[in-house]
């Protein structure tokens, strides 16, 4: 106080006979404490352009997720024709399609703890570079398949798909963690919703435009375009200088945790986070939403053709409506999440999944399949949109003891497992209607978990992670 207010010290005295520095202030008359000025030291802004720079992060992550999903789905049209020309069995095509999500599940177990301890943007760049290399390998194998032969084409395709699975784990985990570390809890819902729209856009636009481009400029051209787009996105990501706030629990709580209690430093096994009921519920909801969509993807078209005489155009319309409603419902669900309890939005999505799948199985006429597809698309968006920012809120409180990298890796595993589990459930010779009722019952069983999801009120100053 003497250092900052020397003149006031000359006009006041300490109650004791001597101060901490050994000087005697007893001869100075006392002034009431109310006259002591309260002048807080100004906190300099470490990054004046942070709000403007932050707004680009969701768009960049959305771009990376778009290229990731587009690169995954464009092979559904291009690769089977090449394999058929070489006389490669159909199971080889199924193997290379399943290689990517399988490797992605395994890679996430390692990627999550790495992101916990490092810079999320750096690991996102690693994923972008790996995906660009894998896309180049696929294009190379498609161009040189006359020289590689059947075995060489299959081997190159498997290597590239495995590399794509590793890159996808870095992109999804690093991208979501980057958003969580640079945005406040109030901003995360809309930011993550914007980023996750890249998944739907990639699924919707991947096969069609890539097939047209392959027919015009050759089968390798879509992958070359993807690699070029990823390089441009990587350069833009590298130019971002928004500060990442560490997500260790002690950094956001008034009472810091001991090293034995703080998440990544505790060395707890990756899978032990599922012992947390909230994290387990969120992952089950994400798994269920992706399973519902991937069960319908290969089955609803043939069912509509067999039962109601739907041609290819109307079958494609069913999938387009589902994916389109999913994209439209993303920002709508984010808006609702910011206004009401997130568990209410998730529960509403679970009910829509239950009703939509039941209506699909009960539809007496083919025209009812279209509104049921819309309901399923909206329900999937309502389930997944609030779940992703909720994971970051759990990390920032004592409800969980893991870093954001670990929880988002687990969420990506749930998404991948849903994409694997859905097609596997269609293999048994079970009627389509029974499959719909089974999925509807599973969705209804998860309603109790969605109603118990936590709600975080971000009214305290320590809950804003973008303030160092």
């Amino acid at each position: 106080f003497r250092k900052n207010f020397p003149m006031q010290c000359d006009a006041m005295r300490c109650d004791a006979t001597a101060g901490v520095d050994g000087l005697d202030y007893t001869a100075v008359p006392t002034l009431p404490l109310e006259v002591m000025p309260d002048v807080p030291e100004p906190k300099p802004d470490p990054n004046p352009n942070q709000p403007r720079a932050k707004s680009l992060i969701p768009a960049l992550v959305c771009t990376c997720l778009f290229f990731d999903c587009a690169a995954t789905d464009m092979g559904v049209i291009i690769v089977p024709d090449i394999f058929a020309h070489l006389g490669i069995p159909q199971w080889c095509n199924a193997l290379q399609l399943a290689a990517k999500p399988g490797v992605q599940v395994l890679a996430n177990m390692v990627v999550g703890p790495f992101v916990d301890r490092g810079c999320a943007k750096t690991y996102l760049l690693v994923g972008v570079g790996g995906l660009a290399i894998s896309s180049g390998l696929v294009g190379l194998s498609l161009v040189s398949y006359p020289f590689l032969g059947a075995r060489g084409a299959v081997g190159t395709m498997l290597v590239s798909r495995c590399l794509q699975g590793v890159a996808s784990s870095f992109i999804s985990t690093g991208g979501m963690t980057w958003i969580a570390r640079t945005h406040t809890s109030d901003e995360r819902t809309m930011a993550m919703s914007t980023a996750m729209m890249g998944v739907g856009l990639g699924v919707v636009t991947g096969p069609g435009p890539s097939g047209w481009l392959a027919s015009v400029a050759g089968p390798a051209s879509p992958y070359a375009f993807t690699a070029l787009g990823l390089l441009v996105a990587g350069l833009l990501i590298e130019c971002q200088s928004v500060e990442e706030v560490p997500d260790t629990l002690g950094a956001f709580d008034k009472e810091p945790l001991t090293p034995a209690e703080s998440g990544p430093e505790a060395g707890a096994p990756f899978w032990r986070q599922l012992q947390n009921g909230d994290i387990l519920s969120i992952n089950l909801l994400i798994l269920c939403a992706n399973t519902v969509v991937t069960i319908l993807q290969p089955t609803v078209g043939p069912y509509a053709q067999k039962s109601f005489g739907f041609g290819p155009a109307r079958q494609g319309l069913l999938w387009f409506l589902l994916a389109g409603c999913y994209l439209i419902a993303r920002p709508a669900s984010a808006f609702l999440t910011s206004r009401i309890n997130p568990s209410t939005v998730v529960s509403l999505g679970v009910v829509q999944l239950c009703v939509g799948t039941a209506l699909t199985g009960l539809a007496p006429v083919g025209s009812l399949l279209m509104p049921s597809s819309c309901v399923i698309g909206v329900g999937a968006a309502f389930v997944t949109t609030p779940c992703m920012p909720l994971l970051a809120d759990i990390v920032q409180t004592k409800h969980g003891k893991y870093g954001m990298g670990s929880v988002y890796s687990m969420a990506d595993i749930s998404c991948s497992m849903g994409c694997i589990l859905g097609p596997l459930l269609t293999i048994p010779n079970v009627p389509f209607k029974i499959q719909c009722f089974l999925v509807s019952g599973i969705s209804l069983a998860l309603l109790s978990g969605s109603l118990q999801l936590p709600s975080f009120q971000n009214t305290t100053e320590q809950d804003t992670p973008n303030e160092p």
Side-chain angles (χ1 to χ4, degrees):
F1 185 81
R2 292 183 67 249
K3 179 180 177 181
N4 294 326
F5 306 101
M7 297 184 65
Q8 284 83 345
C9 288
D10 293 338
M12 66 178 292
R13 69 174 180 83
C14 182
D15 291 336
T17 57
V20 293
D21 52 2
L23 300 178
D24 187 7
Y25 297 97
T26 56
V28 183
T30 304
L31 292 179
L33 293 178
E34 287 75 12
V35 301
M36 295 169 59
D38 185 13
V39 183
E41 295 184 6
K43 296 181 179 180
D45 188 356
N47 191 350
N49 298 321
Q50 190 176 13
R52 180 179 299 177
K54 265 197 320 186
S55 62
L56 296 177
I57 293 178
L60 292 173
V61 177
C62 176
T63 303
C64 296
L65 292 174
F66 165 76
F67 281 118
D68 181 21
C69 294
T72 301
D73 290 343
M74 66 176 60
V76 175
I77 295 179
I78 301 173
V79 175
D81 292 338
I82 302 296
F83 279 17
H85 180 73
L86 293 174
I88 299 174
Q90 178 62 28
W91 66 267
C92 292
N93 182 40
L95 179 62
Q96 65 91 17
L97 288 175
K100 187 257 183 183
V103 172
Q104 188 171 351
V105 169
L106 297 175
N108 270 303
M109 303 179 193
V110 180
V111 172
F114 271 108
V115 176
D116 284 341
R117 294 171 172 84
C119 177
K121 187 182 82 170
T122 302
Y123 288 107
L124 175 61
L125 287 172
V126 171
V128 170
L131 186 59
I133 294 173
S134 67
S135 300
L137 281 177
V138 175
L140 180 63
S141 65
L142 294 178
V143 170
S144 57
Y145 71 89
F147 308 99
L148 294 174
R151 292 185 177 181
V154 172
T156 306
M157 189 67 66
L158 280 176
V159 171
S160 62
R161 292 286 290 180
C162 291
L163 180 58
Q164 185 181 4
V166 176
S168 296
S169 63
F170 276 103
I171 289 176
S172 57
T173 302
M176 291 295 104
T177 305
W178 192 27
I179 293 175
R181 289 179 179 173
T182 54
H183 289 73
T184 66
S185 184
D186 293 333
E187 298 168 341
R188 286 190 197 119
T189 302
M190 187 59 70
M192 291 185 175
S193 174
T194 302
M196 291 300 292
M197 288 181 68
V199 177
L201 288 172
V203 172
V204 172
T205 62
S210 63
W212 174 82
L213 187 60
S215 64
V216 173
S221 56
Y223 295 95
F225 176 78
T226 299
L228 180 61
L230 286 167
L231 291 177
V232 174
L235 291 175
L236 293 175
I237 292 172
E238 179 61 28
C239 294
Q240 302 303 310
S241 59
V242 180
E243 181 182 0
E244 293 184 31
V245 178
D247 49 62
T248 53
L249 289 173
F252 297 98
D253 287 313
K254 291 183 178 180
E255 298 179 0
L257 301 178
T258 63
E261 296 175 329
S262 58
E265 293 79 8
F270 175 78
W271 293 96
R272 193 176 293 176
Q273 62 177 292
L274 294 180
Q275 293 178 356
N276 183 290
D278 298 329
I279 296 178
L280 178 61
S281 297
I282 288 174
N283 280 276
L284 286 176
L285 289 165
I286 294 173
L287 174 67
C288 178
N290 283 273
T291 302
V292 170
V293 174
T294 53
I295 282 179
L296 294 177
Q297 184 176 6
T299 56
V300 68
Y303 169 75
Q305 192 275 332
K306 181 180 179 180
S307 301
F308 306 109
F310 275 31
R314 297 184 72 183
Q315 293 180 38
L317 180 61
L318 287 176
W319 179 247
F320 178 79
L321 286 174
L322 191 152
C325 290
Y326 175 82
L327 289 175
I328 295 173
R330 275 284 187 182
S333 58
F335 176 80
L336 285 177
T337 303
S338 63
R339 296 295 188 274
I340 61 178
N341 195 322
S343 64
T344 304
V345 180
V346 177
S347 300
L348 182 60
V350 172
V351 171
Q352 291 180 82
L353 288 178
C354 178
V355 173
T357 50
L359 286 177
T360 302
L362 291 172
V365 293
S367 58
L368 291 180
L369 292 177
M370 296 182 182
S372 64
S373 297
C374 295
V375 172
I376 292 172
V378 174
F382 273 49
V383 169
T384 55
T385 299
C387 285
M388 302 305 283
L390 269 177
L391 289 172
D393 289 332
I394 291 173
V395 171
Q396 284 188 233
T397 65
K398 294 181 181 180
H399 288 265
K401 297 181 180 180
Y402 290 85
M404 292 182 182
S406 293
V407 296
Y408 284 120
S409 287
M410 183 62 71
D412 193 46
I413 288 176
S414 299
C415 291
S416 301
M417 290 299 295
C419 295
I420 297 173
L421 185 61
L424 289 178
L425 291 177
T426 63
I427 293 177
N429 191 15
V430 179
F432 176 77
K433 292 186 176 182
I434 296 180
Q435 290 181 353
C436 291
F437 298 149
L438 179 62
V439 174
S440 179
I442 295 173
S443 302
L444 187 61
L446 292 175
L447 183 61
S448 60
S450 65
L451 290 172
Q452 297 177 6
L453 290 178
S455 176
F456 300 94
Q457 302 296 329
N458 306 300
T459 57
T460 56
E461 196 173 48
Q462 63 270 15
D463 286 332
T464 55
N466 64 333
E467 294 181 6

